[in-house]
Amino acid sequence: MAFYKDKVFRLLFVLLALFKAAALLYAAFWNPLGEAVLAFPDSITYVYPAQTWLQYGAMWEAVSATPMLLRTPGYPFFLALIGFFTGNLTWAVAIAQNFLSLFLLIPVYLTARRLAGLPAARWATFFCTVSVLYFSLSFAVLSETLCVFLLAWFVFFTVRFLQAPRAVDLAAAALFLAAAVYVRPAVYYFMFAAAVMLVCFQAGKLVRFPLHKIIVFFILPLILLIGAWQLRNRLQTGFGGFTSVGAYNLYMWNEDYLAHKMGLSVPQAHDALERALPAGFSQLPAQEQVRIYKSWARPLIQESFFYKLSRAPLWALKTLFGANFVHLSRLAWGGRTPQALLEGEMLNHTEAVHTRWLEKFSDKLLFAAAAGQVALTVLLGIIGFWVLWQKEKTSAFFLGVYCLYFWAIGSTFFGAYARFRAPFEFVLCIAAGAAAAALWQRFNPRQRPLP
């Protein structure tokens, strides 16, 4: 049965569409913050290269007017396309991202149905429909919504390939994975993990597919597609990497340790790290900036290792169980703190939800609902992995590694929070769907067959 013929899927799809339409109207016309509710500290780093693309046909750094290395072209190009056709980079982006978030239900449904059957697909669609994280991120000028949409299709085609190997599915998986890398470079290293898993599955005869075809239809396309941008960087700037953001993060993500060591606030520590850079740093060639970031980060990382290790469990829990509540609250009834202070909180997330966001009963009710939805999805998702393992070990292993990779990479610094769960929450929804279907069957063994 096609997904669009399933009356339960159609019902959830329509309900989510109506809710998103109402939320868009409210946010655009009645939310006190207006379009500012869409803005995050990272947003300008995507909007600016999109604007230079529209004006000059290329992405440029803001200060040095050199080819852009901090951001990869995926999301800025998405913004530029929207800007080209609508002349707007705020509400038009929110509308487009809400459509992507809505259509995310399709690969989630299809993947869950292949893995665990129709009841699991319906439950998975339900958990994705009520995701507060995906709802809130649809109203943020950030790359997560587009990246998640691409990754969901990558997962679907990979699972379908693992179940019934075909070259077309493997090639499609490679294309969607490469597109996701261009949108969010955090996906970059998962390419290697995916390639290794496929080769190992083939060597262990878990996938009946020739090795040379895995190379031709998966590994080679990734090398060509991702290598093209690295070649561009080498030719135009002398820097052969995919993006410079990793080197920047290695250095700047020591803000929390510096603040702890010197008794500063995190924003003060951020300013101190920026002031410590050499004079004229922004005018230096890209490869020299990357070299300085890495060399100056090394002693800080070594010095702060045990401090960061002691904080890592908290960061991991914030990523896994965070509800993105501050942004939800701003979407619901606008900000209640000065914008500068809010940006510091949204950027740094050094503590749990501040009490100023839970002053009213409505705040507490929203927080309880959001935190409850996240906890239920995560806990059922953990159970669901066991259910999937019993059904199909190869796909379950792949999905487990996928989740662990993005959980780990999203929990490596003090700013970890719900946003970094986005790349794997839809997999948790799939696993939670499998768990819910299994539990329903267990406690309702005489239920009627599904239509």
Side-chain angles (χ1 to χ4, degrees):
M1 179 174 61
F3 68 88
Y4 52 83
K5 293 182 179 179
D6 185 343
K7 62 183 181 181
V8 176
F9 177 87
R10 290 202 307 267
L11 175 63
L12 292 170
F13 188 91
V14 170
L15 288 176
L16 182 59
L18 292 174
F19 186 77
K20 283 179 171 292
L24 278 164
L25 288 172
Y26 169 76
F29 295 104
W30 292 285
N31 189 297
L33 293 172
E35 65 183 22
V37 76
L38 308 176
F40 276 63
D42 284 349
S43 298
I44 189 62
T45 66
Y46 295 111
V47 171
Y48 180 80
Q51 291 172 331
T52 65
W53 213 326
L54 287 169
Q55 294 176 2
Y56 307 110
M59 298 198 312
W60 297 93
E61 299 281 3
V63 178
S64 61
T66 56
M68 171 69 73
L69 290 175
L70 183 68
R71 294 301 182 194
T72 47
Y75 192 61
F77 183 68
F78 172 76
L79 295 180
L81 279 177
I82 294 172
F84 178 79
F85 287 108
T86 69
N88 182 278
L89 289 176
T90 53
W91 294 117
V93 174
I95 292 171
Q97 291 185 166
N98 272 276
F99 271 109
L100 289 177
S101 178
L102 178 63
F103 284 96
L104 175 64
L105 298 183
I106 297 173
V108 167
Y109 176 93
L110 294 175
T111 306
R113 191 175 66 182
R114 293 194 69 88
L115 289 169
L118 184 57
R122 290 171 168 176
W123 279 109
T125 305
F126 168 76
F127 286 116
C128 194
T129 298
V130 300
S131 170
V132 294
L133 178 62
Y134 289 154
F135 170 76
S136 60
L137 287 177
S138 300
F139 290 86
V141 182
L142 295 172
S143 59
E144 271 74 14
T145 299
L146 176 59
C147 184
V148 167
F149 181 79
L150 296 169
L151 286 173
W153 283 108
F154 157 70
V155 166
F156 166 72
F157 283 113
T158 303
V159 167
R160 195 162 76 170
F161 169 79
L162 294 176
Q163 292 182 330
R166 295 190 309 161
V168 64
D169 288 329
L170 194 59
L175 290 174
F176 277 105
L177 181 58
V181 173
Y182 271 96
V183 173
R184 276 195 70 76
V187 185
Y188 184 91
Y189 293 103
F190 187 75
M191 292 189 302
F192 302 98
V196 169
M197 280 192 285
L198 289 174
V199 171
C200 289
F201 291 157
Q202 192 278 337
K205 298 185 176 4
L206 299 173
V207 174
R208 303 286 182 174
F209 199 73
L211 178 60
H212 72 274
K213 289 189 176 181
I214 292 177
I215 295 172
V216 169
F217 290 104
F218 188 79
I219 297 175
L220 186 59
L222 289 174
I223 291 174
L224 294 175
L225 291 169
I226 303 305
W229 186 252
Q230 295 190 216
L231 179 63
R232 169 265 190 192
N233 292 343
R234 170 67 72 180
L235 294 176
Q236 294 191 7
T237 70
F239 170 67
F242 190 65
T243 173
S244 64
V245 72
Y248 172 84
N249 290 338
L250 280 176
Y251 178 67
M252 297 306 300
W253 282 357
N254 293 288
E255 297 160 315
D256 63 321
Y257 173 69
L258 190 64
H260 169 76
K261 178 182 177 181
M262 303 182 66
L264 304 173
S265 68
V266 173
Q268 288 172 333
H270 179 93
D271 293 340
L273 286 170
E274 287 193 331
R275 289 196 303 269
L277 293 170
F281 176 82
S282 62
Q283 301 297 330
L284 293 174
Q287 66 269 31
E288 181 63 14
Q289 291 185 13
V290 170
R291 186 195 67 78
I292 291 173
Y293 278 138
K294 289 183 176 179
S295 62
W296 288 29
R298 191 175 297 112
L300 286 170
I301 293 172
Q302 292 171 346
E303 182 182 336
S304 65
F305 177 78
F306 288 105
Y307 168 79
K308 291 180 181 292
L309 192 63
S310 70
R311 307 291 289 174
L314 172 63
W315 300 342
L317 287 173
K318 287 167 65 179
T319 300
L320 190 60
F321 287 100
N324 209 26
F325 173 73
V326 171
H327 190 218
L328 278 175
S329 179
R330 283 162 56 82
L331 281 170
W333 25 74
R336 295 198 180 107
T337 58
Q339 186 68 24
L341 178 58
L342 176 64
E343 288 179 357
E345 289 179 353
M346 295 176 73
L347 176 63
N348 299 314
H349 299 272
T350 53
E351 56 188 24
V353 176
H354 198 283
T355 53
R356 71 168 58 89
W357 293 99
L358 296 173
E359 292 175 349
K360 297 184 178 180
F361 177 75
S362 56
D363 297 323
K364 296 173 183 176
L365 188 63
L366 179 63
F367 179 77
Q373 178 271 315
V374 173
L376 181 63
T377 301
V378 172
L379 294 175
L380 280 177
I382 294 171
I383 298 172
F385 271 104
W386 173 252
V387 175
L388 294 176
W389 181 262
Q390 301 303 309
K391 291 178 178 291
E392 191 177 338
K393 291 180 172 56
T394 304
S395 295
F397 181 83
F398 164 75
L399 294 176
V401 171
Y402 175 93
C403 287
L404 289 174
Y405 169 86
F406 285 105
W407 185 20
I409 205 168
S411 306
T412 55
F413 77 119
F414 68 99
Y417 72 116
R419 172 186 170 190
F420 301 112
R421 189 179 65 252
F424 67 95
E425 176 157 314
F426 71 89
V427 177
L428 293 177
C429 292
I430 292 169
L439 290 170
W440 185 266
Q441 176 65 36
R442 179 180 179 86
F443 293 106
N444 295 272
R446 296 183 181 179
Q447 63 179 329
R448 292 183 303 170
L450 289 164

